[in-house]
Amino acid sequence: MRIGVLAVQGDFQEHCAFLNKLSVETVEVRLPEDLHDLDALIIPGGESTTIGKLARQYNLIEELRKLSKTIPIWGTCGGLVFMAKEVGFDQPLLGIMDVEVERNAFGRQVESFEQDLFIDGLEGPAFPGIFIRAPVVKNVGKNVRILCQINNDRIVAVRQNNLLATSFHPELTSDDRLHGYFIAMAENPK
Amino acid sequence: METGTLTVKRGHAQMLKGGVIMDVVTPEHAKIAEEAGACAVMALERVPADIRAHGGVARMSDPGLILEIMSCVSIPVMAKCRIGHFVEAQILEAIGVDYIDESEVLTPADESNHIDKMNFKVPFVCGCRNLGEALRRIAEGAAMIRTKGEAGTGDVVEAVRHARSVIGEINKISVMRTDELAAYAKEIGAPLELVRETAEKKRLPVVNFAAGGVATPADAAMMMQLGVDGVFVGSGIFKSGNPAARAKAIVQAVTHFNNPQILAEVSKGLGEAMVGIGISQLPESERLAVRGW
């Protein structure tokens, strides 16, 4: 199992360390040539405007769009923003996920928070949700399944076939269930 | 739902990793920085080079200016308060800045005490010259560290000295016997618990950026290769001939810090770098990095 982590900016090292602990080989992706022979790809948290611009400068946007048709891709926080079709700002987007996203939907950093979550498809106790200047999904297309909602039905985790996206940061926790869920998506591509 | 936890404060800095934080003094600068790919901006009335030239007491910027900058970009906005000036920090928290830099670039308000940063919901970044200073700041609640360098000079030598010092000391403690760590903690004036944690992780418990004197893409990439998590650029961008091009080049250099071909490409045709002041010409009394206790 080889999972690429988009490494242009953000907490890609945290995702790599998490996957390595689960005995998964990781590749830091900065250029199109780093995308060979991957079983799946993670787009980490970070500044979505920065990630988008750096991806565009080195021709990663088209390559990632092509890849999204063949392997599982998971975006966390800024990664969710980058995958979305519409975010209400003029910034480079992959547009591979049929969702409309609101950036910084809970406010600025002083409003960042931790909250227990119950996520469709995860067994066991609540999942520790870490929300940092987090986005939410405002609208979903018909092929998008909602996996988790919090306060007044705000959508914070979604899946569209081989694409997974979360507003929060499992890579900052010690709970490996969502990484396990994603690895299972890569092991059994549908 | 819990706000202001250590996890979300430190976590925000983790989202800035691999990025460039740029000093800006106007909303126009902030837009240029965001367009270039900055992962955050530091809102200021004057960049450090101008603080040096201006002299006098350097204080927190006008909250009105900071709010104006916050309203015109979507990326995080940081602002500086004086060392020990907890009321400036309260004001910055009240207006909702995303990070406070308790900074030696401003004139210190307290020559013994730093701010008790645990009391705030907003996270703080603090400067350091060595591991002891970094761990003292973390013990006070800093959620992010930056090596100080010498701000407003355009000379990278102090940034290198401080980064090498912190990283070198971490390497040293990571191979020490556990019974040696207590004596070492005492020697560097740092809490033993944090020395132990750092030795075990082989890195600081929080994100560590480089600052103070970075003026070129090569400077930024060098700091990254030395092992920092990202870079602050103060005067180096907006005191140069072509800020937009230089800002964009430094952002690319931090991402592709290990790729000399790309570094060569982005270093071309950037125009004049900031003129700068060699550290050897700077009298001890004008050095900012010595502020901090």
Side-chain angles (χ1 to χ4, degrees):
Chain A
M1 173 76 54
R2 251 165 73 93
I3 297 185
V5 181
L6 188 65
V8 296
Q9 193 269 323
D11 72 335
F12 53 88
Q13 287 168 336
E14 282 76 354
H15 272 293
C16 288
F18 210 117
L19 292 168
N20 295 155
K21 250 193 279 175
L22 299 172
S23 307
V24 173
E25 189 191 339
T26 53
V27 182
E28 291 185 3
V29 174
R30 291 182 175 81
L31 295 169
E33 65 234 45
D34 303 324
L35 290 170
H36 297 306
D37 303 322
L38 298 180
D39 297 302
L41 179 89
I42 290 178
I43 304 173
E47 268 312 304
S48 61
T49 55
T50 304
I51 291 172
K53 285 168 209 291
L54 284 158
R56 185 174 59 188
Q57 277 153 8
Y58 291 90
N59 305 316
L60 275 164
I61 294 209
E62 268 319 304
E63 294 301 318
L64 291 173
R65 281 180 186 150
K66 272 187 237 159
L67 209 61
S68 72
K69 297 188 170 69
T70 57
I71 63 170
I73 298 182
W74 175 19
T76 57
C77 192
L80 157 64
V81 176
F82 188 40
M83 288 166 79
K85 272 226 162 73
E86 178 56 49
V87 304
F89 282 91
D90 180 21
Q91 64 184 84
L93 298 174
L94 291 178
I96 54 178
M97 203 156 201
D98 191 8
V99 293
E100 191 188 337
V101 165
E102 180 185 356
R103 288 179 56 199
N104 307 332
F106 299 93
R108 306 192 71 98
Q109 170 61 19
V110 285
E111 308 297 335
S112 293
F113 63 98
E114 295 184 63
Q115 182 169 332
D116 284 348
L117 306 173
F118 291 92
I119 301 166
D120 194 12
L122 289 197
E123 303 287 326
F127 190 89
I130 299 172
F131 294 82
I132 297 171
R133 287 171 49 97
V136 297
V137 175
K138 280 206 302 194
N139 285 302
V140 298
K142 64 178 187 317
N143 293 323
V144 178
R145 199 146 57 86
I146 297 168
L147 302 182
C148 182
Q149 287 173 295
I150 59 170
N151 342 337
N152 306 320
D153 304 329
R154 309 198 86 178
I155 303 166
V156 296
V158 286
R159 179 165 173 185
Q160 176 186 321
N161 304 315
N162 60 321
L163 306 176
L164 178 68
T166 55
S167 301
F168 48 94
H169 294 283
E171 75 280 12
L172 300 185
T173 72
S174 53
D175 191 320
D176 62 12
R177 283 176 294 164
L178 259 181
H179 282 82
Y181 178 98
F182 183 63
I183 292 167
M185 283 171 64
E187 279 167 346
N188 312 295
K190 276 180 228 134
Chain B
M1 176 165 154
E2 206 183 345
T3 57
T5 62
L6 208 54
T7 302
V8 299
K9 289 181 184 176
R10 291 181 177 184
H12 185 199
Q14 287 171 282
M15 300 312 135
L16 302 174
K17 287 170 76 174
V20 182
I21 300 168
M22 301 180 190
D23 279 4
V24 297
V25 300
T26 64
E28 294 70 42
H29 280 184
K31 294 297 269 186
I32 291 171
E34 183 177 49
E35 188 51 43
C39 68
V41 292
M42 178 77 69
L44 285 165
E45 273 169 8
R46 286 192 287 269
V47 295
D50 289 333
I51 291 175
R52 277 185 190 286
H54 194 266
V57 177
R59 309 178 179 90
M60 173 186 81
S61 296
D62 181 340
L65 170 77
I66 299 168
L67 282 165
E68 213 184 323
I69 288 171
M70 284 163 62
S71 70
C72 80
V73 291
S74 66
I75 56 178
V77 177
M78 301 184 167
K80 289 184 195 287
C81 72
R82 286 179 264 178
I83 289 174
H85 205 315
F86 49 87
V87 174
E88 284 187 348
Q90 290 164 7
I91 291 169
L92 294 174
E93 182 176 59
I95 65 171
V97 301
D98 295 297
Y99 241 93
I100 296 177
D101 184 0
E102 187 185 18
S103 177
E104 72 283 0
V105 169
L106 305 182
T107 311
D110 189 322
E111 294 194 333
S112 314
N113 308 292
H114 282 253
I115 295 170
D116 179 2
K117 294 167 276 285
M118 294 290 187
N119 280 332
F120 288 81
K121 277 193 173 176
V122 62
F124 282 75
V125 55
C126 287
C128 76
R129 284 160 294 173
N130 50 51
L131 182 61
E133 200 174 5
L135 296 181
R136 284 194 294 282
R137 297 295 86 78
I138 294 168
E140 292 156 3
M144 178 179 184
I145 288 293
R146 56 176 174 75
T147 49
K148 287 179 181 170
E150 190 57 41
T153 60
D155 187 345
V156 81
V157 67
E158 293 298 296
V160 170
R161 189 190 321 280
H162 299 156
R164 278 196 186 273
S165 162
V166 171
I167 291 159
E169 287 175 278
I170 292 172
N171 290 340
K172 191 167 144 189
I173 62 172
S174 68
V175 294
M176 271 185 191
R177 286 169 48 100
T178 51
D179 53 10
E180 293 168 333
L181 291 175
Y184 193 74
K186 191 175 164 197
E187 185 188 320
I188 65 172
L192 176 57
E193 275 316 304
L194 286 175
V195 171
R196 282 195 182 124
E197 187 185 347
T198 305
E200 194 188 327
K201 287 186 171 149
K202 300 188 184 1
R203 61 155 296 141
L204 287 179
V206 303
V207 166
N208 178 29
F209 272 42
V214 173
T216 67
D219 289 348
M222 182 187 186
M223 299 315 298
M224 292 297 290
Q225 286 196 29
L226 284 173
V228 301
D229 296 316
V231 175
F232 281 88
V233 187
S235 318
I237 289 171
F238 290 99
K239 284 285 157 190
S240 75
N242 186 345
R246 186 166 295 267
K248 193 170 160 191
I250 292 177
V251 169
Q252 294 183 48
V254 167
T255 294
H256 300 286
F257 67 92
N258 257 331
N259 188 326
Q261 259 78 39
I262 290 181
L263 294 175
E265 198 53 44
V266 303
S267 297
K268 286 181 191 162
L270 296 179
E272 289 282 307
M274 73 179 280
V275 176
I277 312 165
I279 289 292
S280 50
Q281 273 109 59
L282 201 65
E284 192 67 30
S285 61
E286 288 180 25
R287 297 194 182 187
L288 306 176
V290 299
R291 299 166 167 178
W293 352 105

